[in-house]
């Protein structure tokens, strides 16, 4: 009896999850017709004389549903705006949004059914889901964007990272702690990170930077279930760290900042892209966050005054006046922008096909996005981060979406970091 | 030394919260024989109710509503789903509970969105200092409440007809039924008690040093599973000891990770509870305090 229930339970979990994750929205206008062509442009999957269909595999029913919904809204608004301005290659762009529910198997199934009808995938949201789809899409020579910032995704030449990878973010975090936040040479920096490719990538960057800058890393591995970081914080205080790099989620940032504050450790905490959420400013540890929390992001924060970010924010406000604001708003916009540039590159080369889009991506060595991402993104070096520049922000109660942009930053260790090097 | 004591207190105070959750698992298992995989969602539900209600009605009334709400959901799950199972086999019930967990969790995730909702506990982020050692006030309150809760449970199970009836029903349902004990009543009581414990644990899990209610809390509740299993599936005292043991192990292994890393590898603090569980089960296959009959059925 002791083993049976658990075996049954696991089977049941799998079956139930598969059967529940069944909500999807297919654009009725999406067309499977390929071939043909207009003028001297060769066309392929997902392209008709009047429309280009791009895919989006996202999580509308799983753990990231709320942020994903913001991105879907913004993505649709972005392409509506592009279409109103004349479209791409004289065609309207339509988005086929499908919900994988954060289930890799379902993501693969959806990819298989979607691939013949789309020219590119603007986004495959989620680490495990994108890890399942990327190799298939690479075999099919299909562009994939918006898979997050893990270094492991860089090995796929069909993938377009929206800005610096996590290793670059973390190397910059160490550089920033040393250069601007007073960590002395020979001092210690705590790195608290999620087990897995996100945290592992960040740790690799931080370790590289620590070696370059002559500081010592005190690493603490956690999982997303670790919501009370008392033990970790006590260990960091005991090790007398002068700063902390955090590659986790908002819950962990708040817990760590709160406990460090109560233990009298007044040290800066620099979080990676997904570690901050404006709702933390309503929690009891808001003061500790405002005092010591920084955020390093690959995409410009919501509060940036760059023209691209302003355009993204205004567009979102026009379609979702009461919607949640946060880093998803500029992110979704810039993912659309990156794909639009790749589609236009393919159109100019006369190859409006999945392969043509990937080729256009690989030839782009200096992509600008009006300040949404650092200028001069280089996608012609497969396996390496397209930039070493990140955005450093300070958590602030008065800032829009809780993050006030301090500066664009590219530290020496981030510049000397290379994957596989 | 004060560092060691800090980590011991961190571990024990977190362990007490885990033991509240583990006791909920154990009580449902003893009263209805169900492996309640929906317990994590009920923990989240309790905390969620407090988080959404406290701005309007205040923390303590919200807490009261959450206790009733979580108990009611437990009772309803039992009355509408578990009792109506055609096949009372534990495997079927466990599968059913996984389904309930997914439904509850999906709905709560949808409602919470990507917010982190504070529960508005009156102790906020304050700490209590014992010499050099600072412990969050919330954890001190949790320790007090947990001790009171377990004292009340002990009284219930050993001194009241209802509690003795529940133990009899757990030991041998058909015989207890023939002796005049209403199994439906003992079962409903068990589910309600588990719901109450879940709601209390949910509030302590989401107040400082945690920032508030996020869907991952339902997963954090599963950290109590090793405590439940190593205590013995059907033992409330076992769940308490198990919770303390797991809390202490995680805190000490995490706290001394720097010294242990070369032997055990990075991140061992996350694995340690399961290692302890396996070691205990190898030595005592029915857990620290589990009854042997319960695992031989």
């Amino acid at each position: 009896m002791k083993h049976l229930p658990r075996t049954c339970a696991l089977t049941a979990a799998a079956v139930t999850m598969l059967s529940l994750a069944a909500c999807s929205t297919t654009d009725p206008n999406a067309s499977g017709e390929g071939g043909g062509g207009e003028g001297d442009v060769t066309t392929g999957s997902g392209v008709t004389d009047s429309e280009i269909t791009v895919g989006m595999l996202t999580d509308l029913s799983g753990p990231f549903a709320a942020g994903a919904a913001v991105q879907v809204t913004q993505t649709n608004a972005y392409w509506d705006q592009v279409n109103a301005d004349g479209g791409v290659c004289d065609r309207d762009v339509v988005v086929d949004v499908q919900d994988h529910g954060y289930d890799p198997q379902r993501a693969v199934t959806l990819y298989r059914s979607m691939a013949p009808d789309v020219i590119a995938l603007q986004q495959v949201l989620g680490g495990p889901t994108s890890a399942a789809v990327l190799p298939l899409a690479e075999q099919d020579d299909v562009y994939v964007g918006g898979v997050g910032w893990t270094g492991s995704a860089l090995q796929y030449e069909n993938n377009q990272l929206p800005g610096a990878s996590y290793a670059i973010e973390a190397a910059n975090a160490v550089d920033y702690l040393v250069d601007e936040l007073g960590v002395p040479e020979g001092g210690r920096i705590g790195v608290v990170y999620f087990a897995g490719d996100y945290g592992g990538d960040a740790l690799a960057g931080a370790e590289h930077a620590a070696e370059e800058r002559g500081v010592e890393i005190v690493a603490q591995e956690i999982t997303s279930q670790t919501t009370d970081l008392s033990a970790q914080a006590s260990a960091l205080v005991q090790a007398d760290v002068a700063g902390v790099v955090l590659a986790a989620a908002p819950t962990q940032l708040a817990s760590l900042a709160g406990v460090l504050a109560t233990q009298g450790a007044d040290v800066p905490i620099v979080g990676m892209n997904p570690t901050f959420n404006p709702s933390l400013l309503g929690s009891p540890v808001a003061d500790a966050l405002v005092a010591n929390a920084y955020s390093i992001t690959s995409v410009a924060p919501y509060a940036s005054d760059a023209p691209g970010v302003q355009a993204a924010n205004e567009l979102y406000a026009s379609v979702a006046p009461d919607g949640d604001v946060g880093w998803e708003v500029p992110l979704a916009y810039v993912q659309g922008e990156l794909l639009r540039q790749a589609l236009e590159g393919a159109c100019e080369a006369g190859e409006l096909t999945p392969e043509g889009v990937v080729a256009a991506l690989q030839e782009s060595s200096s992509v600008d996005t009006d300040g949404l991402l650092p200028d001069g993104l280089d996608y012609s070096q497969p396996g390496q981060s397209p930039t070493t520049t990140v955005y450093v922000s300070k958590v602030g109660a008065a800032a829009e979406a809780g993050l006030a942009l301090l500066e664009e930053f590219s530290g020496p260790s981030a510049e000397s970091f290379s994957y596989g090097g | 030394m004060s560092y060691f004591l800090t980590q011991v207190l961190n571990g024990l105070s977190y362990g007490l919260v885990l033991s509240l959750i583990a006791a909920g698992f154990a009580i449902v298992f003893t009263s209805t024989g169900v492996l309640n995989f929906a317990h994590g969602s009920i923990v989240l539900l309790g905390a969620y109710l407090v988080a959404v209600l406290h701005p309007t009605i205040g923390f303590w009334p919200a807490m009261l509503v959450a206790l009733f709400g979580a108990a009611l959901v437990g009772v309803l799950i039992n009355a509408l789903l578990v009792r109506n199972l055609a096949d009372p086999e534990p495997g079927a019930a466990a599968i059913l509970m996984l389904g309930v967990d997914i439904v509850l969790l999906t709905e709560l995730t949808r409602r919470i969105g990507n917010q982190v909702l504070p529960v508005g506990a009156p102790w906020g982020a304050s700490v209590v200092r014992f010499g050099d050692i600072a412990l969050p006030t919330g954890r001190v309150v949790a320790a007090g409440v947990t001790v009171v809760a377990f004292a009340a449970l002990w009284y219930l199970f050993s001194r009241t007809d209802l509690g003795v009836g529940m133990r009899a029903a757990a030991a041998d349902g058909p015989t207890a039924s023939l002796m005049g004990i209403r199994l439906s009543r003992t079962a409903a009581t068990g589910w309600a008690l588990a719901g109450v414990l879940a709601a209390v644990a949910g509030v302590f899990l989401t107040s400082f040093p945690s920032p508030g209610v996020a869907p991952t809390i339902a997963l954090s509740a599963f950290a109590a599973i090793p405590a439940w299993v190593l205590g013995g599936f059907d033992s409330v005292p076992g769940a308490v000891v198990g919770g303390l043991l797991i809390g202490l192990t995680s805190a000490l292994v995490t706290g001394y990770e720097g010294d242990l890393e070369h032997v055990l590898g990075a991140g061992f603090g996350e694995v340690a509870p399961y290692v302890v569980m396996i070691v205990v089960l190898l030595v005592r296959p029915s857990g620290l305090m589990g009854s042997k009959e319960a695992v031989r059925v």
Side-chain angles (χ1 to χ4, degrees):
Chain A
M1 168 184 143
K2 213 170 150 194
H3 299 288
L4 182 64
R6 274 179 275 178
T7 317
C8 292
L10 287 174
T11 317
V15 172
T16 324
M17 279 175 178
L18 279 178
S19 59
L20 271 179
C23 347
S24 72
T25 51
T26 307
D27 192 307
N29 299 319
S31 163
E33 301 300 314
E38 185 192 38
D40 51 359
V41 175
T42 312
T43 60
S45 306
V47 183
T48 66
D49 288 346
S50 59
E51 279 184 354
I52 300 172
T53 306
V54 299
M56 193 163 172
L57 287 177
T58 187
D59 176 11
L60 295 174
S61 57
F64 299 102
V70 173
Q71 295 193 50
V72 170
T73 304
Q74 177 76 331
T75 300
N76 284 323
Y78 173 82
W79 289 114
D80 286 347
Q81 181 179 282
V82 168
N83 293 341
D85 292 343
V88 174
C89 213
D90 298 329
R91 293 164 172 85
D92 279 351
V93 177
V94 294
V95 189
D96 180 4
V97 180
Q98 299 281 349
D99 171 29
H100 60 46
Y102 207 62
D103 173 359
Q105 187 55 50
R106 182 152 178 80
V108 167
T109 309
L110 286 170
Y111 169 75
R112 289 288 190 210
S113 66
M114 179 188 267
D117 302 329
V118 297
I119 189 168
L121 287 170
Q122 180 176 325
Q123 181 175 45
V124 181
L125 187 141
T129 38
S130 57
V133 169
L134 269 169
L136 303 176
E138 187 185 43
Q139 274 175 5
D140 299 346
D141 224 358
V142 172
Y143 167 106
V144 179
V147 298
W149 297 269
T150 56
S152 56
L154 286 168
Q155 63 181 296
Y156 301 103
E157 295 183 12
N158 56 328
N159 167 41
Q160 185 165 30
L161 221 64
S165 67
Y166 286 125
I168 298 293
E169 286 188 11
N172 273 316
V174 171
D175 282 332
Y176 195 78
L177 281 166
V178 172
D179 291 339
E180 307 288 340
L181 298 174
V183 174
E185 196 172 334
R188 289 177 167 175
I189 292 177
V191 178
V192 181
Y193 65 101
F194 277 169
D197 52 2
Y198 159 33
D201 196 28
L203 180 65
E207 282 178 335
H208 165 80
E211 205 169 299
E212 295 274 301
R213 306 306 299 264
V215 293
E216 194 185 330
I217 294 291
V218 179
Q220 288 281 349
E221 185 178 293
I222 56 170
T223 69
S224 58
Q225 297 181 28
T226 317
T227 53
D228 172 1
L229 272 71
S230 298
Q232 287 78 7
S234 302
L236 295 178
V237 171
Q238 174 73 3
D240 199 21
V241 298
V244 182
V245 175
L246 179 67
T251 312
Q252 286 74 25
L253 171 64
S255 181
L256 188 67
V259 180
L260 285 175
T262 60
Q263 302 202 352
D266 185 21
V267 296
I269 304 168
V270 184
M272 304 293 98
N273 224 14
T275 47
F276 183 73
N277 182 312
S279 64
L280 293 182
L281 290 172
S283 75
V285 299
D287 290 345
L289 291 170
V290 170
N292 283 324
Y294 295 78
S295 182
I296 281 198
T297 56
S298 302
V299 183
Y302 187 86
S304 161
D305 56 7
V309 179
Q310 292 302 315
N313 296 354
E314 280 163 25
L315 179 65
Y316 185 72
S318 71
V319 293
D322 302 320
D324 288 336
V325 300
W327 55 284
E328 293 92 352
V329 171
L331 172 65
Y333 190 95
V334 81
Q335 282 171 178
E337 184 63 21
L338 290 172
L339 178 55
R340 184 186 63 78
Q341 293 193 21
L343 289 173
E344 283 182 346
C347 178
E348 278 165 26
E351 275 286 330
L352 196 54
T353 60
E355 299 80 5
V357 177
V358 174
L361 163 68
Q362 289 165 353
E363 283 160 18
S364 49
S365 57
S366 182
V367 174
D368 292 345
T369 54
D370 270 347
L372 282 152
L373 295 172
D375 282 345
L377 299 166
D378 182 3
Y379 291 100
S380 63
Q381 306 290 325
Q384 298 303 328
S385 175
T387 178
T388 59
T389 305
V390 294
Y391 298 88
V392 183
S393 308
K394 177 89 182 65
V395 173
E400 279 184 291
L403 285 179
L405 178 62
L406 297 179
E407 60 177 304
E408 281 190 46
F409 183 80
S410 177
S413 315
E415 285 163 12
S416 64
F417 181 88
S418 89
Y419 283 98
Chain B
M1 189 61 192
S2 81
Y3 176 64
F4 175 74
L5 281 179
T6 301
Q7 291 294 23
V8 167
L9 286 180
N10 279 340
L12 290 178
S13 61
Y14 180 58
L16 277 173
V17 180
L18 287 185
S19 63
L20 280 174
I21 304 172
F25 277 114
I27 290 173
V28 167
F29 185 73
T30 46
S31 58
T32 49
V34 174
L35 301 166
N36 182 13
F37 289 114
H39 200 54
S41 299
I42 298 177
V43 170
L44 177 63
L45 172 73
Y48 171 77
L49 286 174
V50 176
V52 292
L53 292 176
H54 83 85
T56 43
I57 62 174
F59 176 75
W60 295 109
M63 184 82 212
L64 213 56
V65 175
L67 295 182
F68 276 111
L72 183 67
V73 169
V75 170
L76 287 177
I77 290 173
N78 179 53
L80 300 178
L81 301 171
V82 177
R83 282 179 62 198
N84 285 329
L85 274 184
D87 175 12
E89 200 269 324
I95 293 166
L96 181 67
M97 286 307 110
L98 278 170
V100 172
D101 185 55
I102 290 170
V103 171
L104 263 178
L105 189 57
T106 306
E107 176 57 16
L108 287 170
T109 303
R110 186 185 71 78
R111 284 171 177 272
I112 296 168
N114 59 354
Q115 307 283 305
V116 180
L117 308 171
V119 286
W123 47 84
S126 63
V127 290
V128 178
R129 293 189 189 279
F130 307 94
D132 294 346
I133 302 163
L135 199 64
T137 310
R139 284 291 148 82
V140 178
V141 176
V145 169
T146 309
V147 170
V148 171
F150 285 127
L153 282 179
W154 170 82
Y155 183 81
L156 174 76
F157 284 124
S158 58
R159 294 283 187 274
T160 66
D161 289 347
L162 180 62
V164 173
M166 286 175 75
R167 282 165 56 204
D172 188 343
T175 310
S177 186
L178 289 171
M179 306 271 297
I181 291 168
R182 283 168 60 191
L183 296 186
S184 60
R185 202 172 127 203
T186 56
T189 311
W191 278 88
L193 277 177
V196 167
L197 293 178
V200 173
V203 169
F204 288 127
L205 261 189
T206 51
S207 57
F208 185 74
S210 296
V213 183
T216 44
I217 291 299
L219 291 175
S220 309
F222 282 113
I225 287 185
W228 168 42
V229 175
L230 79 81
F233 271 85
D234 57 354
S235 166
V236 174
V240 180
V241 176
L244 291 174
L245 200 56
I246 294 299
L248 203 55
T249 309
S250 324
L252 288 178
V253 173
T254 304
Y256 289 96
E257 183 165 309
D259 304 321
L260 298 169
E261 195 171 355
H262 304 296
V263 190
L264 299 172
F268 193 73
E270 301 294 331
V271 188
Y274 295 90
V275 174
V276 172
M277 179 185 87
I278 290 167
V279 170
V280 168
L281 291 183
L282 283 175
V283 181
R284 291 181 66 92
S286 32
L288 288 173
M289 299 185 181
S291 55
K292 292 195 167 62
E293 288 80 359
V295 293
R296 281 186 185 163
V297 171

